[in-house]
Amino acid sequence: MARARCPAWRSTGAGSGSPCRSHTPAAPAAAARSWPPRPSPFSRSRPPPHPAPPAPLGIGDRLFPHLGNPGYDVLAYDIALDYHGPSRPLDAVTTVAARTTGHLRRINLDFTHGTVRSVLVDGVRAGYATAGEDLVVTPRAALPAHRRFAITVRHTSDPRGPARGGWVRTRDGLVMANQANAAHRVFPGNDHPSDKALFTFRVTAPKDLTVVAGGLPAGRTRHGSRTTWHYRARHPMATELVQIAIGRLAVVRRSGPGGLPLRDAVPVADRARLEAWTARTPRQISWMERQVGRYPFETYGVLVADATTGFELETQTLSLFERELFTGVGGLAWYVESIMVHELAHQWFGNSVTPRRWSDLWLSEAHATWYEARYADEHGGARLTERMRQAYLLSDIWRREGGPPADPRPADPGDQIGIFRPVLYEGGALVLYALRQEMGPAAFQRLQRAWVRRHRDGVAGTDDFVRLASRTAGRDLTGFLGRWLHGRTTPPMPGHPRWRTVEREEPRKGAPAALPAAKPG
């Protein structure tokens, strides 16, 4: 919901409590000298002005205007969940440790689809109200700028209801799919990728179930018929990348390159059948490390869900895959492996280096698709040049339907994954192909390595990429990349003057298409 903000809001600092504070204009000089004096507008005989009602905020992201909240930076989340079955709400306690960036009279958290039971700020009970998809917290005293604080929310986390992201029910439990804007359907927080933080998870479930989560295990405690599983992430993470899975899962451990601890979580009944696929992860990591450098996190693994999602997802350190990807492909090993590499590549591009705004999403999906296509090219799939030629053919259609790669159109209301269009996947990879043609392969690889090294564990945007590309190439590429990233039509492809686009997609006869369908992940 849009709402106007007056200059007082901007001057007093975002989140100061009221977008338009009540100001009493100064009285004229003659009136000030009158006798008897008029009552002060702030005297006890007159009630103070009422604060503005709670309202949803946002940081102004063009694609999700009400996502995220101004006035603070989250440092860490501690999320405790008590699981009672896939058809009942989980009992939850979420503690958000943060630092104010301005004076705050109220604190907005993104949260919906759950019941709030109590809120504490620094251990003291605080007032709260809901406004749209925000939980608006009013501490007993305003928080000054640059102050650390902690909000503890006791709430429910509800896996029931419409499938709009967040919890996803499996055959015997739950997994999480928060992309793009659904983490706040699970826990309260600052649900925007620009505010990354550390995470600790404590999940209690019946003892016959297994819990896995992002990061490394940090202990397990048995309480009669229930077990609490403890995980901790060592690197900052965006809320959309959080993963917690509960169910009858087999956890398979192995070592990756350099002794990297790997763990896969698969349905117990499918452990033997899926081993042929999950055992390929170490060589996939080795391949990616040869392209862009050392794997950026403390662990990695594949989570296979017995559920229908329609997509795979790069949740940090534990990528989510549909069971059907591995059991229903009819022998297309190169295709399955290339999709696995797509999610693996996201650990560098999207997870370690996270888009600053959702309009920068092409930086994640373009690079993941680029390495997916390169891996397929080297392992029996479509040749890279032919795949890019086919993408070029359709590029104007994609731009017309979804906008340019770095200026995508918003999704339809209620369809948060609607922003994941072909123009970001194959269309974004086409931009990288054009850039490699323009820079040369050696300079392009230096750019790739420098990008993930320079912005590791941080956030970055399109302008950052353009500047680094120009610096690496030794010349200004602003105009070149501007046309490719923001143009309504596709520029000429360097080195391929005969490549053409089409106005509409024609059905293809004969061999299957070289381009797999784009989908989130």
Side-chain angles (χ1 to χ4, degrees), residues 12 44 51 66 144 157 165 167-168 170 241 265 271 278 294 314 323-324 369 391 396 456 483 503 516-517:
T12 57
R44 293 179 183 271
H66 288 133
S157 185
W167 290 117
V168 175
T170 66
L241 301 173
R271 176 174 180 166
T278 57
R294 189 180 180 94
E314 67 275 14
R323 176 180 177 275
E324 180 68 16
T369 304
D396 277 359
R456 183 180 182 185
R483 291 186 292 274
E503 289 299 313

Side-chain angles (χ1 to χ4, degrees), residues 454-467:
R454 179 182 295 260
H455 298 290
R456 183 180 182 185
D457 284 340
V459 298
T462 299
D463 290 346
D464 300 309
F465 185 80
V466 173
R467 282 192 293 270

Side-chain angles (χ1 to χ4, degrees), residues 25 60 62 78 107 124-125 134 307 320 337 340 353 368 387 425 455 460 468 470 488 495-496 504:
R62 185 179 64 84
D78 187 301
I107 307 154
V124 178
R125 189 172 295 275
D134 277 19
L320 174 66
E337 281 210 69
M340 294 175 73
V353 185
R387 181 166 174 166
Y425 291 77
H455 298 290
L468 186 58
S470 298
R488 298 293 163 181
H496 297 285
R504 62 179 183 176

Side-chain angles (χ1 to χ4, degrees), residues 106-123:
R106 286 175 175 156
I107 307 154
N108 279 50
L109 299 172
D110 299 303
F111 185 58
T112 189
H113 202 61
T115 300
V116 177
R117 292 169 172 158
S118 68
V119 179
L120 304 178
V121 176
D122 291 334

Side-chain angles (χ1 to χ4, degrees), residues 270-351:
D270 295 310
R271 176 174 180 166
R273 185 179 187 183
L274 295 174
E275 175 64 19
W277 295 111
T278 57
R280 304 181 191 206
T281 299
R283 79 180 189 190
Q284 294 166 359
I285 295 174
S286 294
W287 185 87
M288 276 299 304
E289 289 187 335
R290 290 196 297 272
Q291 315 309 312
V292 294
R294 189 180 180 94
Y295 177 75
F297 296 124
E298 67 271 30
T299 186
Y300 185 65
V302 167
L303 168 63
V304 180
D306 193 354
T308 300
T309 62
F311 55 81
E312 329 306 331
L313 193 61
E314 67 275 14
T315 40
Q316 191 161 309
T317 75
L318 188 63
S319 292
L320 174 66
F321 295 87
E322 279 186 302
R323 176 180 177 275
E324 180 68 16
L325 175 70
F326 302 104
T327 60
V329 295
L332 288 177
W334 68 264
Y335 173 73
V336 174
E337 281 210 69
S338 71
I339 298 302
M340 294 175 73
V341 168
H342 180 112
E343 307 308 332
L344 173 62
H346 270 309
Q347 304 301 315
W348 285 265
F349 300 96
N351 297 10

Side-chain angles (χ1 to χ4, degrees), residues 60-143:
D61 191 299
R62 185 179 64 84
L63 298 183
F64 296 102
H66 288 133
L67 211 57
N69 296 285
Y72 63 91
D73 173 41
V74 178
L75 306 175
Y77 293 89
D78 187 301
I79 300 173
L81 299 166
D82 200 349
Y83 173 78
H84 309 288
S87 298
R88 291 178 57 191
L90 291 80
D91 297 310
V93 180
T94 297
T95 298
V96 182
R99 180 189 295 112
T100 59
T101 58
H103 178 88
L104 283 179
R105 184 64 192 92
R106 286 175 175 156
I107 307 154
N108 279 50
L109 299 172
D110 299 303
F111 185 58
T112 189
H113 202 61
T115 300
V116 177
R117 292 169 172 158
S118 68
V119 179
L120 304 178
V121 176
D122 291 334
V124 178
R125 189 172 295 275
Y128 62 90
T130 57
E133 294 194 354
D134 277 19
L135 171 63
V136 184
V137 178
T138 304
R140 289 193 178 181
L143 302 179

